[in-house]
Amino acid sequence: MESIQTPDVNYFDNDKLVVGLGSSLIIHNPPILAYPMRLDFGYQFQKLEERDFELTTTRPGVANPYERVNTDGEVHVFSGSLTLKF
């Protein structure tokens, strides 16, 4: 969205930086199991750039912009998985 106004929607478009890192480990002879076991781990970081928006509406009787909001923040995502074959 090139404009700072968002008529009748609450969708905010923002630039962000995304960095991810992952790793995998295969255990070929795990205890008790007859087949290899795989462990996967991942991490992702997202940094949202700061940006201002004006919320507007086409509803009659409501002054525009009816609210001003600021978007920014950080997101940290951790994930993992265990894969077993039978």
Side-chain angles (χ1 to χ4, degrees):
M1 301 176 82
E2 294 180 10
S3 171
I4 65 168
Q5 292 191 344
T6 59
D8 292 322
V9 297
N10 62 355
Y11 175 75
F12 305 117
D13 184 28
N14 204 343
D15 291 333
K16 62 184 166 182
L17 167 71
V18 179
V19 178
L21 178 66
S23 182
S24 179
L25 172 66
I26 298 176
I27 302 171
H28 293 285
N29 295 311
I32 304 174
L33 301 174
Y35 296 100
M37 177 174 63
R38 179 176 168 159
L39 301 169
D40 296 295
F41 303 97
Y43 169 75
Q44 186 180 80
F45 171 75
Q46 298 180 18
K47 170 65 176 154
L48 304 175
E49 298 297 323
E50 186 172 350
R51 186 168 175 196
D52 296 320
F53 289 93
E54 293 179 348
L55 303 181
T56 61
T57 185
T58 56
R59 292 183 309 183
V62 178
N64 283 311
Y66 64 89
E67 189 173 354
R68 289 182 172 83
V69 295
N70 178 281
T71 61
D72 72 338
E74 297 179 352
V75 178
H76 299 272
V77 180
F78 297 92
S79 64
S81 69
L82 170 69
T83 304
L84 300 172
K85 294 183 179 180
F86 294 96

